């Protein structure tokens, strides 16, 4: 049922006045480069936030605050799977799960696009776990001992394409998302792609003969979260020409989530819808980049997708102007605080208003979308402008841009992975708006004259909250970060 203007006015007022809960982002627009209001005179500037400056790494991989350390868990071309092949490359979205006897299981996406012949280290075609033998991507399941040492790595699913992000489920599985629209015959593929698949890290046999969850649609999937109360799944689409959409899937009447249940769904089960936003005056909002101030609240309606399998026309192209709201590079999702945190990485000429990152919060109860973070356009993103000296010397960290994967920290606020221009970071933001650096990628995959630093992906804490796992996508390194984690004290 569509929201009335009166309903929306009441709900948006409540959303705008809401107090940030522990673990939520609150007023994160104080991040470097953010478009934020001036702090009142005498207000704390947050300069003491976090764990101090990042210390350069003599090994040239990861700069961390003093007292913190990292351990390499997997590295493409160096570590091997239990079956003997190299760890696949291009690490992306990651989920953590409790294993046996204090171990941690991680499901790690490998964002490998197109045919296997294009990649030196594709995901091996493990017997019984292959969807399309022509595709290079998939997931591996990594086991880490209680003391932090790597135990092993095995294939979770293979023969999928461009496995970007995904999401964990309340019943302990991983949903891996294909960020592609390739059909059988495109780029050597033998099956259609652009689906979501389920991986059970505890029981790989449950995923034998992989079956796409076609009810969730075929498009350039990025991430997915599950509403544990209502059973909805929310999904992002990373696409342009036109910009992508934010989706909601409603299960069919009587359906109950659980292990293996998604595999039983008919291809047209439930209802897949795209969002449509409007402002407090009832005016339609065509693109999320229209929001130029944190705290902006939009009402949300949902419009059914005509052909979710995109047999002839891409899902996002099935809607005419004025029917749905769009956004460029809809990326990370995380469920917390009773709703979904949603990332739009940036907007440029294809969007009405440019920016270098937004984080929104969708409240399903109020059916409102609130802008929590807005990063202004980085005017000088080149790595050379941010580097004071070469490896081992101090580094000038420039403005943040291009937020991508996100996770809610057990110590409050968010941890955000940067996939922007220039030097790449993991950074945190407290629930009262202070920001602090967590890590900086120092692995230069370019040259001394033209340095290049790969994005961070898949930040996620271990189930006990003691270890932050994250990846450097290229060449493919999974890292475990430990140290004196603590909840940041609220400034007075």
């Amino acid at each position: 049922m569509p929201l009335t203007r009166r309903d929306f006015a009441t709900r948006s007022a409540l959303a705008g006045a809401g107090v940030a809960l522990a673990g939520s982002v609150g007023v994160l627009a104080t991040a470097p480069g953010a478009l934020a209001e001036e702090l009142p005179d005498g207000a704390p500037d947050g300069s003491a936030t976090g764990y101090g400056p990042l210390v350069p790494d003599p090994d040239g991989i990861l700069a961390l605050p003093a007292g913190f350390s990292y351990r390499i868990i997997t590295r493409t071309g160096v570590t091997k799977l239990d079956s003997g092949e190299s760890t696949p490359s291009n690490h992306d979205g990651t989920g953590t799960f409790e294993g046996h006897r204090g171990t941690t299981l991680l499901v790690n996406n490998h964002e490998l696009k197109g045919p296997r012949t294009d990649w030196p280290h594709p995901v091996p075609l493990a017997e019984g776990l292959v969807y399309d033998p022509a595709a290079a991507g998939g997931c591996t399941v990594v086991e880490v001992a209680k003391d932090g040492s790597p135990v092993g790595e095995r294939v979770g699913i293979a023969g999928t394409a461009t496995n970007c992000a995904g999401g964990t489920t309340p019943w302990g599985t991983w949903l891996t998302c294909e960020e592609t629209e390739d059909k059988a015959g495109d780029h050597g593929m033998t099956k259609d792609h652009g689906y979501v698949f389920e991986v059970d890290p505890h029981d790989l046999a449950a995923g034998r003969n992989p079956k796409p969850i076609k009810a969730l649609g075929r498009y350039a999937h990025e991430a997915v979260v599950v509403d544990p109360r209502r059973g909805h799944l929310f999904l992002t689409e990373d696409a342009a020409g036109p910009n992508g959409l934010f989706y909601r899937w409603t299960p069919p009447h009587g359906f109950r989530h659980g292990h293996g249940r998604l595999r039983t769904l008919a291809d047209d089960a439930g209802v897949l819808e795209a969002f449509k936003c409007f402002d407090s005056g009832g005016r339609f909002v065509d693109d999320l980049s229209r929001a130029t101030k944190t705290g902006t609240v939009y009402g949300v309606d949902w419009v059914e997708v005509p052909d979710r399998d995109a047999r002839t026309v891409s899902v996002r192209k099935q809607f005419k102007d004025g029917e749905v709201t769009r956004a460029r590079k809809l990326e990370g999702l995380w469920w917390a605080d009773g709703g979904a945190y949603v990332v739009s990485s940036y907007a440029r000429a294809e969007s009405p208003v440019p920016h270098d990152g937004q984080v929104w919060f969708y409240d399903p109860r109020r059916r409102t979308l609130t802008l929590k973070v807005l990063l202004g356009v980085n005017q000088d993103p080149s790595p050379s402008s941010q580097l004071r000296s070469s490896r081992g010397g101090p580094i000038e960290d420039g403005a943040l841009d291009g937020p991508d994967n996100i996770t809610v920290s057990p110590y409050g606020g968010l941890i955000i992975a940067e996939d922007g221009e220039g030097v790449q970071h993991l950074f945190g933001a407290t629930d009262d708006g202070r920001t602090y650096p967590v890590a900086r990628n120092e692995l230069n995959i370019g040259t001394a004259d033209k340095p290049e630093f790969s994005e961070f992906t898949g930040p996620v804490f271990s189930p006990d909250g003691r270890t932050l796992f994250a990846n450097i996508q290229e060449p493919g390194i999974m890292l475990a970060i430990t140290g004196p984690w603590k909840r940041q004290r609220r400034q007075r």
Side-chain angles (χ1 to χ4, degrees), residues 272-307:
L272 183 66
E273 300 163 297
F275 77 152
K276 179 178 184 179
C277 297
F278 53 94
D279 65 18
S280 58
R283 294 176 291 268
F284 167 69
V285 178
D286 62 339
D287 194 282
L288 291 185
S289 69
R290 295 285 186 190
T292 58
K293 186 176 181 181
T294 56
T296 297
V297 182
Y298 293 144
V300 176
D301 277 338
W302 296 94
V303 183
E304 186 168 356
V305 171
D307 173 21

Side-chain angles (χ1 to χ4, degrees), residues 173-185:
T173 63
W174 173 253
L175 298 176
T176 182
C177 295
E178 292 188 306
E179 188 191 327
T180 181
E181 296 181 63
D182 282 352
K183 301 179 76 172

Side-chain angles (χ1 to χ4, degrees), residues 137-207:
C139 299
T140 54
V141 179
V142 180
E143 186 173 5
V144 177
K146 191 174 183 179
D147 65 2
S149 60
V151 175
E153 182 179 16
R154 55 194 182 274
V155 173
I157 189 172
T160 51
T162 322
N163 296 69
C164 197
T168 58
T169 69
W171 52 93
T173 63
W174 173 253
L175 298 176
T176 182
C177 295
E178 292 188 306
E179 188 191 327
T180 181
E181 296 181 63
D182 282 352
K183 301 179 76 172
D186 296 339
H187 304 110
M189 299 296 100
T190 66
K191 292 185 178 181
D192 291 350
H193 291 268
Y195 296 115
V196 177
F197 295 80
E198 188 169 23
V199 177
D200 188 337
H202 299 95
D203 182 12
L204 296 184

Side-chain angles (χ1 to χ4, degrees), residues 51 64-70 438 481-486:
Y51 302 98
L64 294 169
F68 282 77
S69 62
Y70 70 88
V438 175
I481 302 169
T482 55
W485 301 108
K486 63 180 180 180

Side-chain angles (χ1 to χ4, degrees), residues 300-366:
V300 176
D301 277 338
W302 296 94
V303 183
E304 186 168 356
V305 171
D307 173 21
R308 73 182 80 183
D309 204 47
R311 288 182 288 271
T312 57
V313 178
S314 297
V315 170
R316 70 186 184 283
K317 297 179 181 179
Q318 295 172 25
F319 296 98
K320 298 178 181 177
D321 290 346
E323 291 184 329
V324 292
T325 299
R326 302 183 183 276
R328 181 65 197 275
K329 284 192 72 64
L330 286 167
E331 298 268 9
L333 277 172
W334 196 270
W335 185 270
D337 304 330
Y341 290 100
V342 188
V343 172
S344 172
S345 283
Y346 65 81
R348 289 294 186 270
E350 78 291 327
S351 304
V353 182
H355 64 75
D356 256 336
Q358 298 176 326
V359 180
W360 296 81
F361 179 76
Y362 176 67
D363 185 332
R365 185 172 64 88
R366 295 183 176 132

